[in-house]
Amino acid sequence: QVHLVESGGGLVQPGGSLRLSCAVSGLTFSILNMSWYRQAPGEDREFVAVISASGLTTNYADSVKGRFTISRDNTKNTMYLQMNSLKPDDTAVYYCYVREVPSQRTWWGQGTQVTVSS
């Protein structure tokens, strides 16, 4: 059975930092391309960052470049999103999304709330 469990969300002041985690079970972690998406109230879900199965390639939305860092630990079956210099506009539910290579099957996590407010 496949499980994606996000954690690390919470309330933080503008300029603060949080680190999100996405723990994966039931899949072969090393063949997963992994991403973070987010959805603010009343908005569509949007791409935040992606990391390749090898961990060698990353890509970011323009809105988070230079502030967020995506990474993965294949020994722990966990992906991370380090978020620095947080802004109120970063407030959203953050979702883990994985795509299996080469089957292209996909899964979503349940989401974790990030609120940036003073």
Side-chain angles (χ1 to χ4, degrees):
Q1 197 168 7
V2 177
H3 291 285
L4 279 64
V5 180
E6 298 101 329
S7 61
L11 173 64
V12 63
Q13 292 186 341
S17 297
L18 284 175
R19 189 177 81 155
L20 305 183
S21 299
C22 174
V24 178
S25 60
L27 295 170
T28 303
F29 191 77
S30 61
I31 62 169
L32 301 176
N33 286 331
M34 303 190 70
S35 304
W36 289 99
Y37 281 75
R38 66 187 182 186
Q39 188 168 21
E43 302 290 333
D44 292 334
R45 194 170 295 189
E46 66 174 3
F47 166 78
V48 174
V50 61
I51 186 165
S52 63
S54 67
L56 297 178
T57 302
T58 59
N59 196 22
Y60 298 89
D62 287 344
S63 59
V64 307
K65 278 181 183 176
R67 300 188 298 122
F68 291 9
T69 303
I70 190 171
S71 62
R72 62 191 294 159
D73 185 339
N74 285 9
T75 67
K76 296 181 179 179
N77 286 7
T78 302
M79 173 179 66
Y80 304 98
L81 186 68
Q82 178 66 44
M83 305 186 295
N84 299 329
S85 302
L86 282 161
K87 305 174 182 179
D89 284 350
D90 295 318
T91 295
V93 177
Y94 283 71
Y95 296 91
C96 173
Y97 172 79
V98 304
R99 178 166 56 87
E100 188 179 61
V101 180
S103 73
Q104 304 302 304
R105 293 186 298 170
T106 61
W107 293 266
W108 288 95
Q110 84 287 351
T112 185
Q113 176 71 47
V114 172
T115 302
V116 185
S117 175
S118 55

